[in-house]
Amino acid sequence: MLERFLLQGPQDARFTILLAHGAGAPMDSASMTAAADALAGVGFRVVRFEFSYMAARRSEEGRKPPPRAETLNPEYEAAIAALGAGGPLIIGGKSMGGRVASMVADRLYDTGKIAGLLCLGYPFHPPGQPAKLRTGHLAGLKTPTLICQGTRDEFGTKDEVPGYTLSERIEVLWLEDGDHDLKPRKKISGFSAADHLATMAKTAKAWAERLPV
C-alpha cells in the first residue's frame, strides 16, 4: 500500500506527527511540504505518506479520482502500523487526510496507539454546499484535537464553524484571512503564508506539550 514515507525533523523528537495528504494533491505538494517544514522546525518528527490511489497516479496515465474518504480508513491504520512510532504519535493531515484520521482516531486513542489529532484545513463541508456537513463524528470525539483553519476557508469559514456541534476535546486555531491551504492575502491581512505556518507550528507544539502522555 505504501510507496514510501517522507520523514523529517529530529529522530529523537518527543512527538511524531503522521500526516496524510488532501484529496487532490500528493504528500510532496507545496502546501504539504511547507506545513511539514514548519512542524519539523519546532521539533516534531514529521512523517508523510500517500494513500494508494494517489501513489498510483505517479505511475499511471490520467488522474484516478479519490475514493470515498471512509474507505481510506484501513489504509491510514496500515500506515500507522507500518510506521511503528516508538513514542507518542499524533495523526492527522491536510483536508481529506485529516478527515480520514479523525474517523479512525478514537479507537486508536482508546487503545493508547495515538496521543492526539492534528487537522490542517478540515473539510467541514464541500465548497458551495454548506448544508452537506461532515461533522457528525466530531460531536462525540474523545481524542484531543487541534484544527488549524483559515478564516475564509471555503470548506468551513470562521462565520460557519462556531455554529457546528463539536466535541469539547477539539480546539480550533483560526488563521486570519487564510484559505484552505492556510494562505492569507498579505495586502488584506498583513500576514504572509510563512507567518501563518509559523503560528500553526508553534501552536501545535504548545498543544502537544499539554497532551496527557
XYZ file of all heavy atoms in Angstrom, residues 182-184 186 189-197:
96
model
N -4.316 27.537 4.254
C -3.933 28.439 5.343
C -3.244 29.706 4.853
O -2.705 30.475 5.650
C -3.034 27.728 6.379
C -3.533 26.379 6.907
C -2.551 25.828 7.938
C -4.921 26.504 7.525
N -3.277 29.933 3.546
C -2.591 31.091 2.973
C -3.467 32.342 3.045
O -4.608 32.333 2.584
C -2.213 30.827 1.515
C -1.148 29.773 1.324
C -0.822 29.590 -0.149
C 0.256 28.541 -0.366
N 0.536 28.345 -1.823
N -2.920 33.447 3.572
C -3.664 34.706 3.606
C -3.295 35.591 2.420
O -2.315 35.334 1.712
C -3.177 35.346 4.901
C -1.729 34.927 4.952
C -1.677 33.537 4.348
N -1.710 38.884 1.826
C -0.913 39.749 2.698
C -1.377 41.200 2.651
O -1.389 41.891 3.679
C 0.562 39.656 2.326
C 1.467 40.379 3.320
C 2.923 40.060 3.135
C 3.753 40.696 4.241
N 5.201 40.391 4.104
N -4.580 41.106 4.911
C -4.452 40.664 6.301
C -3.219 41.199 7.014
O -3.191 41.280 8.242
C -4.411 39.136 6.349
O -3.197 38.662 5.778
N -2.179 41.493 6.229
C -0.917 41.882 6.842
C -0.029 40.694 7.188
O 1.100 40.865 7.643
N -0.546 39.480 6.955
C 0.214 38.269 7.253
C 0.668 37.587 5.969
O -0.013 37.660 4.943
C -0.637 37.273 8.052
C -1.036 37.754 9.413
C -2.317 38.228 9.647
C -0.133 37.727 10.459
C -2.698 38.670 10.901
C -0.500 38.170 11.725
C -1.778 38.651 11.943
N 1.795 36.894 6.034
C 2.258 36.079 4.924
C 1.929 34.621 5.203
O 1.588 34.251 6.341
C 3.775 36.225 4.753
O 4.459 35.648 5.866
N 2.064 33.785 4.185
C 1.858 32.348 4.377
C 2.844 31.805 5.402
O 2.494 30.970 6.245
C 1.997 31.615 3.045
N 4.078 32.290 5.351
C 5.092 31.846 6.317
C 4.706 32.227 7.738
O 4.935 31.462 8.679
C 6.447 32.438 5.947
N 4.119 33.410 7.901
C 3.656 33.832 9.231
C 2.641 32.845 9.792
O 2.728 32.422 10.949
C 3.001 35.219 9.164
C 3.974 36.343 8.863
O 5.174 36.198 9.162
O 3.514 37.367 8.309
N 1.665 32.488 8.963
C 0.608 31.592 9.435
C 1.137 30.185 9.706
O 0.702 29.534 10.669
C -0.528 31.532 8.417
C -1.501 32.667 8.543
N -1.399 33.636 9.512
C -2.613 32.985 7.813
C -2.399 34.494 9.390
N -3.150 34.122 8.366
N 2.050 29.701 8.891
C 2.607 28.373 9.131
C 3.433 28.361 10.417
O 3.417 27.377 11.166
C 3.454 27.923 7.946
C 2.656 27.555 6.690
C 3.598 27.223 5.551
C 1.708 26.386 6.958
